[in-house]
């Protein structure tokens, strides 16, 4: 006989049956398919037995037929337990309240860790976070995503080289690397200033040192512009040359621009869908259209719900559809030239030192081929071409000696 | 006619490997020590008390005598009795059959 759990789940009762024909009662029960077990004799006219709760209704005609009386002794199983619990509303409401509180507290920010910032910066970060409502005790559901916090923080802080925001359960981690301000240069050792590239000298200011080139002179890279050796040729004193040498330099560029291109533009119309995700199934709350626009971009924000350490399979989802138009853009030749010019100018500017000046730009050549325009440009730029180069004391000594020798020979 | 059929059944049992209780509708009784007795093919309870269980059979009755009997389960054809079993006995008296 298998022990089945039916009686535990559905509930059963223990009854005593009194009457003259108790054996007949048992036989009848079996015939009517009433589940009956644990039958015990109490005295000549009474037996006790267990009966499934769902069979209780069927027992009345059997009792009548065998002239027996029934008396309930014990109730057992889930339905009775449930009934008992229900009558104690305090326990139930306590349970519900406990889980609600646990659920609520699981979705709250408990800590914000900031690693790698000095106290001042930390306070600053906390202030910015506070403005975004990210603080200890905030309900996580309404907070922006970590990516948003990250971009907001890194755009507001300029003392930071790198910044990462991550979330670990109820804790936000903000790791950052602070910019180290460069220490002031030590007094530089003896040096020359030499040319960095081919150029024609436009202007030369020598603060310290001996200028060796003149205006409008052509220089090659590596050529000494301002010498750090001053004084007599026979006994030169090495110093740190300082100054600015503006040279005229030349650049050539090649830019390609398509005359026809497809451009996506947003029309400004948006459509927002709100959904509740349950076990991977999306239950729409707001916005029922399947495809609101013909052409669109989708932006999905998902807010998962937590319980203790787990992500529940429930999430709130917001999908924003932005309608866009795809337009074909045709450029006339002059427009294309304009654009190509701008693009190549930008590219050039990014390569040049900070205080450079583009003096003139000329179009060398332009070719239109396969719907694309190739533009060859020529630029003249004024830029600082000076670069420090340390003076090797050994070389200087050699030079002096050589000089002396020459003098002797001459003398 | 009936006798002939019974004879045939006996012959069939002897000459095939079929169990007798299947063909002859006989009770099959299984005991676990003196603790449990499991009876199949019974035809109803005649009397039940702490010391005695009497079952009706196709032919005659089955009487079980012992102490502290509890009918653990009862189904149309099966019965499981628990207790301290001392005696199992077939009674041939047909008059007591109900």
């Amino acid at each position: 006989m298998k022990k089945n759990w039916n009686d535990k789940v559905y509930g059963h009762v223990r009854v005593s049956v009194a009457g003259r024909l108790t054996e007949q009662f048992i036989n009848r029960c079996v015939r009517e398919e009433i589940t009956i077990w644990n039958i015990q004799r109490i005295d000549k006219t009474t037996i006790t037995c267990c009966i499934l709760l769902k069979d209780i209704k069927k027992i009345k005609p059997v009792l009548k037929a065998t002239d027996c009386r029934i008396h309930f002794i014990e109730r057992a199983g889930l339905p009775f337990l449930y009934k008992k619990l229900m009558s104690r509303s305090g326990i139930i409401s306590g349970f519900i309240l406990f889980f609600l509180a646990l659920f609520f507290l699981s979705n709250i920010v408990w800590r914000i860790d900031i690693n790698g910032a000095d106290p001042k910066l930390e306070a600053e970060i906390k202030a910015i976070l506070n403005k975004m409502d990210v603080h200890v005790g905030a309900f996580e559901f309404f907070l922006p995503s970590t990516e948003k916090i990250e971009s907001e923080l890194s755009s507001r802080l300029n003392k930071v080289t790198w910044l990462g925001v991550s979330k670990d359960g109820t804790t936000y981690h903000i790791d950052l690397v602070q910019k180290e301000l460069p220490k002031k240069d030590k007094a530089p050792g003896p040096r020359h200033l030499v040319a960095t590239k081919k150029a024609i000298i436009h202007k030369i200011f020598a603060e310290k040192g001996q200028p060796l080139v003149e205006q409008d002179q052509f220089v090659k890279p590596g050529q000494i512009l301002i010498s750090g050796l001053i004084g007599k040729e026979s006994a030169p004193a090495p110093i740190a040359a300082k100054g600015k040498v503006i040279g005229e330099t030349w650049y050539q560029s090649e830019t390609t621009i398509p005359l026809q291109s497809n451009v996506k533009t947003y029309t400004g119309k948006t459509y927002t869908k709100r959904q509740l995700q349950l076990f991977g199934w999306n239950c729409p709350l707001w916005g029922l259209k399947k495809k609101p626009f013909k052409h669109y971009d989708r932006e999905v924000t998902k807010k998962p719900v937590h319980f203790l350490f787990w992500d529940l399979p429930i999430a709130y989802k917001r999908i924003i559809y932005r309608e866009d138009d795809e337009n074909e853009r045709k450029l006339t030749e002059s427009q294309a030239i304009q654009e190509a010019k701008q693009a190549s100018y930008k590219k050039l500017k990014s390569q040049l030192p900070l205080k450079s000046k583009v003096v003139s730009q000329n179009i060398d050549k332009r070719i239109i081929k396969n719907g694309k325009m190739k533009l060859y440009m020529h630029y003249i730029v004024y830029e600082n071409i000076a670069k420090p180069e340390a003076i090797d004391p050994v070389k200087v000594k050699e030079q002096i000696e050589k000089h002396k020798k020459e003098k002797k020979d001459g003398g | 006619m009936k006798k002939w059929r019974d004879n045939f059944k006996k012959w069939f049992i002897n000459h095939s490997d079929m169990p007798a209780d299947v063909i002859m509708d006989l009770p099959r009784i299984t005991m676990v020590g003196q603790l449990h007795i499991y009876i199949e093919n019974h035809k109803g309870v005649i009397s039940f008390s702490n010391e005695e269980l009497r079952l009706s059979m196709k032919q005659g009755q089955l009487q079980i005598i012992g102490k502290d009997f509890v009918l653990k389960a009862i189904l149309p054809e099966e019965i499981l009795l628990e207790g301290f079993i001392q005696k199992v006995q077939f009674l041939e008296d047909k008059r007591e059959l109900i």
Side-chain angles (χ1 to χ4, degrees), chain B residues 31 34-37 64-66 69 83-88:
Chain B
M31 278 182 80
Q34 286 179 287
L35 185 70
H36 279 157
I37 185 161
I64 301 151
I65 290 168
F69 281 175
F84 183 74
I85 296 148
Q86 289 167 324
K87 219 189 259 177
V88 179

Side-chain angles (χ1 to χ4, degrees), chain B residues 9 81 83 93 97:
Chain B
K9 273 184 184 171
L81 181 74
D93 194 359
L97 226 158

Side-chain angles (χ1 to χ4, degrees), chain A residues 286-299:
Chain A
W286 192 264
L288 296 167
K289 279 186 198 169
K290 221 170 195 183
K291 250 187 165 187
F293 306 116
K294 226 174 182 184
H295 301 282
Y296 57 84
D297 257 1
R298 241 162 52 123
E299 186 192 315

Side-chain angles (χ1 to χ4, degrees), chain A residues 121-182:
Chain A
L121 191 63
E122 202 176 313
E124 208 176 318
I125 289 170
K126 275 193 177 158
I128 295 169
L129 287 178
N130 253 328
K131 240 179 225 170
M132 300 172 77
D133 290 327
V134 181
H135 52 83
V136 172
F139 204 46
E140 212 174 88
F141 209 68
F142 303 113
L143 296 187
S145 63
T146 51
E147 288 88 4
K148 249 184 193 164
I149 297 174
E150 197 173 302
S151 67
E152 178 77 15
L153 276 177
S154 46
S155 71
R156 292 267 190 101
L157 300 167
N158 45 18
K159 284 185 202 160
V160 170
T161 341
W162 176 84
L163 188 135
V165 178
S166 61
K167 211 179 74 185
D168 197 4
T170 54
T171 309
Y172 277 91
H173 294 287
I174 297 168
D175 298 295
L176 53 94
V177 178
Q178 236 172 312
K179 257 180 210 166
E180 276 176 32
L181 291 174

Side-chain angles (χ1 to χ4, degrees), chain A residues 93-282:
Chain A
S93 56
F95 250 107
I96 292 170
L97 229 70
F98 167 72
F99 277 104
L100 271 179
L102 206 59
F103 169 77
F104 187 73
L105 294 176
S106 302
N107 287 288
I108 265 181
V109 179
W110 280 91
R111 230 169 70 180
I112 297 171
D113 279 347
I114 301 172
N115 291 325
D118 58 20
K120 202 180 145 199
L121 191 63
E122 202 176 313
E124 208 176 318
I125 289 170
K126 275 193 177 158
I128 295 169
L129 287 178
N130 253 328
K131 240 179 225 170
M132 300 172 77
D133 290 327
V134 181
H135 52 83
V136 172
F139 204 46
E140 212 174 88
F141 209 68
F142 303 113
L143 296 187
S145 63
T146 51
E147 288 88 4
K148 249 184 193 164
I149 297 174
E150 197 173 302
S151 67
E152 178 77 15
L153 276 177
S154 46
S155 71
R156 292 267 190 101
L157 300 167
N158 45 18
K159 284 185 202 160
V160 170
T161 341
W162 176 84
L163 188 135
V165 178
S166 61
K167 211 179 74 185
D168 197 4
T170 54
T171 309
Y172 277 91
H173 294 287
I174 297 168
D175 298 295
L176 53 94
V177 178
Q178 236 172 312
K179 257 180 210 166
E180 276 176 32
L181 291 174
K183 287 169 199 157
K184 273 213 166 165
D185 284 345
K186 285 183 231 158
R191 62 179 193 184
H192 299 301
L193 289 181
V194 300
T196 52
K197 46 186 104 173
K198 262 198 309 196
I200 289 176
I201 304 298
H202 176 64
K203 266 179 193 165
I204 178 161
F205 311 103
E207 243 178 89
K208 277 178 192 165
Q210 181 72 39
L212 294 183
V213 289
E214 284 173 16
Q215 212 170 326
D216 296 333
Q217 188 182 336
F218 179 80
V219 293
K220 280 186 233 159
Q223 190 178 345
I224 297 172
L225 302 170
I226 300 173
S227 170
L229 295 171
I230 54 167
K232 283 179 195 165
E233 251 181 292
S234 54
I239 59 154
K242 204 175 163 192
K244 222 182 227 176
V245 182
I246 306 295
E248 188 185 302
T249 52
W250 314 275
Y251 291 92
Q252 274 179 325
S253 78
E254 185 189 313
T255 320
T256 315
I257 249 183
L259 290 174
Q260 260 187 16
S261 58
N262 286 327
V263 181
K264 254 190 192 178
T265 48
Y266 289 119
T267 60
K269 277 187 200 161
T270 60
Y271 184 79
T272 311
K273 269 192 195 179
R274 285 160 218 275
Q275 292 176 334
L276 199 66
Q277 199 175 39
L278 297 168
F279 301 95
W281 175 71
N282 291 325

